[in-house]
Amino acid sequence: MMPGMNELPKCLKCDSGSMLPLSDYGRDGASIHYKAWVCSNPECGFNIRIDNGEVTLGRTIGQSYK
Ligand SMILES: [Zn+2]
């Protein structure tokens, strides 16, 4: 059990959404917990990815500005 799971960190970009932890599965089927975090605000789309120990910030995915 991890403490504080109900207290997701606030998004640093829009300050209204929460950062949701995403898990993924590696090629060998091993689960990778919290590989990426994404803002719960669809209008924000801020996300953080963690690949091989390196953090990639804010690569927007499918976002369009109008
Ligand atoms: Zn946000």
Side-chain angles (χ1 to χ4, degrees):
M1 288 292 290
M2 293 190 60
M5 284 300 290
N6 291 328
E7 301 176 13
L8 295 171
K10 281 234 172 192
C11 175
L12 297 176
K13 185 177 179 184
C14 68
D15 204 35
S16 64
S18 298
M19 298 304 290
L20 304 176
L22 302 178
S23 298
D24 200 357
Y25 292 93
R27 291 172 187 169
D28 56 357
S31 61
I32 304 170
H33 293 290
Y34 313 130
K35 179 183 174 71
W37 295 72
V38 63
C39 179
S40 63
N41 180 3
E43 295 182 0
C44 173
F46 182 72
N47 61 92
I48 298 174
R49 288 177 53 90
I50 303 169
D51 289 308
N52 299 322
E54 293 199 7
V55 177
T56 304
L57 284 177
R59 186 169 296 172
T60 52
I61 39 180
Q63 191 171 13
S64 62
Y65 293 96
K66 294 180 179 174

